[in-house]
Amino acid sequence: MSYSIFQSGRSRRNGTFHNLESGIEEQIEALRNELAELTRLVGKSSRHQGEKIRSQAGAGYEELLGRSEDLLRELQHGYERGTTEMRETVRKHPLATIGAAAGFGLAIAFLARR
């Protein structure tokens, strides 16, 4: 009786199990191939997206740099105008300027004492 059980197990192993095993191996190989293709596609897509983002960032940087240079020029011109106006005011009203400076100094001294 035990001989017949082992015998039927061997025939299954050699027949049906062998077919099942080779079917599973084929499926695993197909999955490996699909996974390799998917990895390749994701890598290609990632490179493309990276290049696109890098290009957009470069354009944004150039625009920001241009705007900051314009802003710096505007600030410099404003500073020069303010300096010129202050010099004109000091030349036209020297006593008022000295009085304003003294009042400002007294206010700072008063606040510093507290």
Side-chain angles (χ1 to χ4, degrees):
M1 186 163 160
S2 67
Y3 179 76
S4 65
I5 292 174
F6 289 129
Q7 187 66 22
S8 65
R10 283 186 188 145
S11 66
R12 266 197 228 152
R13 187 175 306 136
N14 291 337
T16 308
F17 287 139
H18 180 69
N19 291 341
L20 183 63
E21 184 177 310
S22 52
I24 290 173
E25 287 175 357
E26 289 173 5
Q27 288 177 354
I28 289 173
E29 186 62 31
L31 287 173
R32 282 184 183 148
N33 291 337
E34 288 179 17
L35 185 59
E37 180 64 19
L38 182 61
T39 303
R40 187 186 68 77
L41 289 173
V42 167
K44 184 178 178 181
S45 176
S46 296
R47 278 192 302 276
H48 177 68
Q49 288 295 331
E51 291 170 2
K52 183 179 177 182
I53 290 171
R54 189 177 302 119
S55 172
Q56 289 174 346
Y61 174 75
E62 293 296 325
E63 181 182 343
L64 181 63
L65 187 60
R67 291 163 107 191
S68 64
E69 288 173 351
D70 292 341
L71 181 60
L72 181 61
R73 269 188 242 109
E74 287 179 26
L75 288 172
Q76 287 173 339
H77 291 304
Y79 177 75
E80 290 171 2
R81 282 192 308 266
T83 303
T84 303
E85 289 176 10
M86 188 176 3
R87 286 184 182 155
E88 296 277 329
T89 303
V90 169
R91 285 186 188 137
K92 289 180 183 176
H93 309 287
L95 292 176
T97 303
I98 292 171
F104 184 73
L106 286 172
I108 294 293
F110 178 73
L111 290 173
R113 288 179 85 189
R114 286 185 157 190

